[in-house]
Amino acid sequence: MSDSPDKRNEWRAIFYVQARIAILFVPVVASLLIVAALAGNERKSVPTMIDPTVTGSVR
């Protein structure tokens, strides 16, 4: 393996491209985590026996 400046510049350029792509995905992942945390907080301790989706005309 040679430690030529050209090879180092190529690896540095590849690293910079990967870092830029990762920076683009950080807000997406953070927003998905926030949405999942907010959506997962709805818990019912006792399930109701009445289905709210059934209307009076169908019963």
Side-chain angles (χ1 to χ4, degrees):
M1 269 188 151
S2 63
D3 287 335
S4 67
D6 291 336
K7 280 288 187 187
R8 274 188 255 141
N9 287 337
E10 287 178 16
W11 284 110
R12 189 173 291 140
I14 291 170
F15 176 74
Y16 285 148
V17 169
Q18 289 178 342
R20 288 178 186 159
I21 292 171
I23 288 171
L24 290 175
F25 281 103
V26 167
V28 174
V29 172
S31 62
L32 287 175
L33 288 174
I34 291 170
V35 168
L38 293 176
N41 286 337
E42 185 180 340
R43 299 279 187 251
K44 292 183 178 180
S45 60
V46 177
T48 59
M49 300 307 282
I50 299 170
D51 187 5
T53 60
V54 177
T55 62
S57 62
V58 175
R59 285 186 225 166

